[in-house]
Amino acid sequence: MADILNCLIIGSGPAGYTAAIYAARAGMNPVLYTGKEPGGQLMITTDVENYPGYPDGIMGPAMMEHFQKQAERFGTKVNYEVIARVDFSGPVHKVYTESEEEILAHTVIISTGASAKWLGLESETRLMNKGVSACAVCDGFFYKGTDVVVVGAGDTAAEEASYLAKLCPNVHMLVRRDEMRASKIMQKRVMNTPNITIHWNTEAEEILGEEEVEGVRVVNNKTGEKKEIAIKGFFTAIGHKPNTGIFKDWLDMDGAGYLINVPDSAKTNIPGVFVSGDAQDNVYRQAVTAAGTGCMAALDAERYLAAKEII
Ligand code: NDP
């Protein structure tokens, strides 16, 4: 019979690597599978200025390199493979890679994160990190004193617009319908903020600029009227999708696919399976909060193994 790992970690963002650091130092010999996007969402971020411990800021990819090095220093084994399916039916958990290799583990820590949804414009991809962002809290500061656009009409868009309105002279919200999905209180807030302009029935057609964002061409989907708005920052806030599809037959999740943890813990409904990071958080979504829950998951996993006298 194949060896049974003490701790298998799925995902390689701040949550996964923090879980790995704690698990490795606790003698759990963790094995981490990076998934399709090693390093996670921070790999598509430039400067990170709000992660404590970096007084001068750090580039997202460099920070993830540090996370990985620190996890490996204590013996974490990192595999650059994708987990394609899981079987949580027994006391020993079974996890399968894309090449159908079976891995057995006493505990599994899920840190698969979430991915921002994008509009899918060619100009959006081309100008990513050159003015295009999906996180105002992360990147808004870089556009201080300039005009910006926020696309979306949910709570995230409303929150991002309110945040940016404190930094930027003019915030333009592009709302594709004639009403907003955001909660009434958030709608009221954006509508009562003098430097937020809501463009109803309006969609981004193209983000303008060669090397960096210089403007956006928008179209009114009722009248067909087009216009250009000069901006430096373009924030897409049309929702996130948690990367949790492979767990849907096993783990409790909400309607949007976020995994549900037992309150005040990283436990899921399956003993020995723990969750951390954006896969279970659609509210805070910060590197530092993800790292915090990664730590919780490793501590919970360690207690689980100790209670079963496996370690
Ligand atoms: P939502 O799914 O609620 O909203 C997405 C918004 O993006 C909708 O207004 C949608 O428009 C719009 N949209 C989607 N696709 C496009 C597109 N291609 N072009 C233009 N617009 C598009 O996502 P959120 O991230 O805002 O919120 C997710 C969840 O998190 C919600 O339950 C929300 O309440 C919660 N949340 C709570 C917060 C809080 O309590 N402080 C803060 C942030 C989020 P349309 O309405 O036309 O479909």
Side-chain angles (χ1 to χ4, degrees):
M1 186 168 153
D3 285 345
I4 305 175
L5 301 177
N6 283 335
C7 181
L8 172 78
I9 299 168
I10 312 176
S12 54
Y17 278 128
T18 305
I21 291 163
Y22 274 78
R25 294 188 77 251
M28 291 155 69
N29 303 321
V31 177
L32 180 148
Y33 282 77
T34 61
K36 255 197 267 308
E37 293 159 17
Q41 291 191 82
L42 278 159
M43 300 302 280
I44 54 159
T45 306
T46 50
D47 297 74
V48 179
E49 294 187 332
N50 54 8
Y51 199 91
Y54 292 105
D56 302 318
I58 181 157
M59 300 300 271
M63 187 165 100
M64 292 323 298
E65 205 181 304
H66 292 176
F67 269 80
Q68 180 171 348
K69 269 193 187 152
Q70 194 173 350
E72 286 178 328
R73 179 180 153 210
F74 298 108
T76 303
K77 186 167 181 305
V78 176
N79 280 330
Y80 293 89
E81 278 181 85
V82 175
I83 299 300
R85 64 186 178 94
V86 298
D87 175 346
F88 292 155
S89 58
V92 172
H93 304 304
K94 297 179 190 155
V95 168
Y96 299 87
T97 64
E98 271 186 339
S99 50
E100 275 294 305
E101 183 200 346
E102 182 184 73
I103 309 147
L104 304 179
H106 292 296
T107 67
V108 176
I109 295 178
I110 297 166
S111 327
T112 45
S115 305
K117 291 185 193 162
W118 298 99
L119 295 172
L121 301 172
E122 176 278 324
S123 47
E124 181 185 47
T125 314
R126 183 167 48 81
L127 293 165
M128 188 83 62
N129 287 327
K130 297 173 184 164
V132 173
S133 165
C135 180
V137 178
C138 319
D139 298 331
F141 185 76
F142 305 118
Y143 304 98
K144 194 173 177 180
T146 71
D147 291 352
V148 296
V149 151
V150 175
V151 183
D155 279 327
T156 302
E159 210 167 71
E160 303 235 315
S162 302
Y163 180 85
L164 290 164
K166 297 190 186 102
L167 303 170
C168 305
N170 291 296
V171 177
H172 299 273
M173 277 188 90
L174 307 186
V175 175
R176 68 179 173 181
R177 291 185 292 138
D178 58 4
E179 60 179 350
M180 289 178 72
R181 182 184 295 270
S183 52
K184 289 281 174 271
I185 183 165
M186 291 302 289
Q187 291 194 33
K188 213 165 143 192
R189 190 170 304 159
V190 293
M191 285 173 192
N192 288 338
T193 305
N195 60 334
I196 298 178
T197 307
I198 301 176
H199 301 259
W200 301 103
N201 299 307
T202 300
E203 294 176 48
E205 198 175 67
E206 189 183 354
I207 306 165
L208 309 169
E210 284 304 316
E211 293 305 314
E212 56 181 26
V213 171
E214 289 166 12
V216 58
R217 187 171 61 246
V218 300
V219 58
N220 182 305
N221 57 27
K222 282 270 188 296
T223 64
E225 188 199 335
K226 295 185 184 187
K227 65 181 173 191
E228 291 184 5
I229 308 171
I231 49 153
K232 290 280 185 203
F234 184 93
F235 291 87
T236 307
I238 60 171
H240 284 76
K241 198 179 172 318
N243 304 317
T244 56
I246 60 170
F247 308 112
K248 70 176 186 324
D249 293 336
W250 305 100
L251 299 179
D252 292 343
M253 46 180 80
D254 69 13
Y258 287 91
L259 297 178
I260 297 172
N261 58 308
V262 175
D264 300 324
S265 80
K267 294 173 191 163
T268 66
N269 54 299
I270 303 262
V273 178
F274 305 90
V275 63
S276 59
D278 287 11
Q280 51 93 52
D281 171 18
N282 74 353
V283 178
Y284 301 105
R285 296 197 288 248
Q286 299 301 299
V288 67
T289 49
T293 55
C295 161
M296 288 166 64
L299 294 176
D300 283 349
E302 184 190 353
R303 284 175 195 144
Y304 173 89
L305 292 171
K308 292 203 166 308
E309 297 182 351
I310 295 170
I311 58 168

